[in-house]
Amino acid sequence: FASCGTEEVKSVEQTVEPVTLSLEDQFSALVELDSKLLTVDLSIDTKVAKQLYDAANLFASENPLHEKAPDALELAAKGAEGIEKYDEAITILHKIITDYPETEKTPMFMYRKAIILEEKLGKPDNAKAAYQALIERFPDNFLSISAQEYLDMDFLNMSDADVIKFLKSQNKE
């Protein structure tokens, strides 16, 4: 059978409106990603780290004045470390330290920056300068005290074998 009618056939197309998440929901999604960063065997899930790095950077760049922007940058730095973008992690930590008001986490960001410089990038002189900056800015903070002891013991200039030898000698006393 064929139809000879002149009726117009309307297609049933559905238009999907894009869902816009509130900034709070966007930040909650970042926190959710962060909770999935470590796998069961305590290794880093690099796919999650990459997503966290990208999404947290985007959140912070699009909302630099939002109260959660420094927290988003902290998550971006964790993501950068997770995908071994250590220079980028340093840049992000430096941005938090310099561009946002001081918080109780600032000494931890400064300490983390020094650790990455030393252990991941092999830059002991830069690490020493970062430890010194922490000590000068927060002389009474426990991380500063620890950093000062570390520098005083000259661990920064010791090889791993020298550190092990020193620690063994301390255990004998």
Side-chain angles (χ1 to χ4, degrees):
F1 297 125
S3 172
C4 296
T6 57
E7 280 185 32
E8 192 175 313
V9 178
K10 294 184 179 178
S11 77
V12 185
E13 286 183 34
Q14 292 186 358
T15 55
V16 177
E17 292 293 320
V19 176
T20 304
L21 295 175
S22 70
L23 292 178
E24 288 70 27
D25 287 343
Q26 289 176 38
F27 186 77
S28 293
L30 295 176
V31 172
E32 178 67 23
L33 270 176
D34 181 43
S35 72
K36 297 176 181 176
L37 194 57
L38 286 180
T39 62
V40 176
D41 66 358
L42 300 180
S43 63
I44 300 287
D45 183 327
T46 54
K47 286 182 181 177
V48 172
K50 173 80 170 106
Q51 289 177 324
L52 182 61
Y53 169 71
D54 291 339
N57 259 331
L58 183 63
F59 180 94
S61 67
E62 288 183 350
N63 308 288
L65 302 177
H66 192 276
E67 66 179 338
K68 295 290 188 182
D71 297 322
L73 286 171
E74 178 184 359
L75 294 172
K78 283 176 76 173
E81 280 190 78
I83 55 175
E84 299 180 2
K85 287 188 167 193
Y86 300 115
D87 286 319
E88 185 62 22
I90 294 288
T91 300
I92 294 167
L93 290 169
H94 185 76
K95 181 174 183 58
I96 301 168
I97 293 163
T98 58
D99 292 359
Y100 290 94
E102 197 171 280
T103 70
E104 68 279 351
K105 289 183 171 183
T106 304
M108 188 248 327
F109 297 142
M110 295 178 80
Y111 191 80
R112 189 74 209 134
K113 181 179 170 183
I115 294 287
I116 294 169
L117 284 164
E118 179 185 359
E119 295 179 2
K120 303 299 183 183
L121 296 176
K123 297 180 176 180
D125 293 339
N126 295 30
K128 185 175 183 176
Y131 286 125
Q132 281 301 142
L134 169 64
I135 293 163
E136 289 169 16
R137 190 163 165 189
F138 300 99
D140 298 326
N141 185 280
F142 75 96
L143 290 171
S144 297
I145 294 165
S146 176
Q148 185 64 62
E149 290 173 356
Y150 184 73
L151 293 176
D152 289 347
M153 306 272 280
D154 203 29
F155 281 131
L156 199 57
N157 294 315
M158 288 186 190
S159 68
D160 289 345
D162 290 339
V163 171
I164 292 168
K165 184 177 174 181
F166 172 80
L167 293 174
K168 283 181 178 178
S169 74
Q170 293 298 304
N171 283 337
K172 291 178 183 176
E173 292 176 5

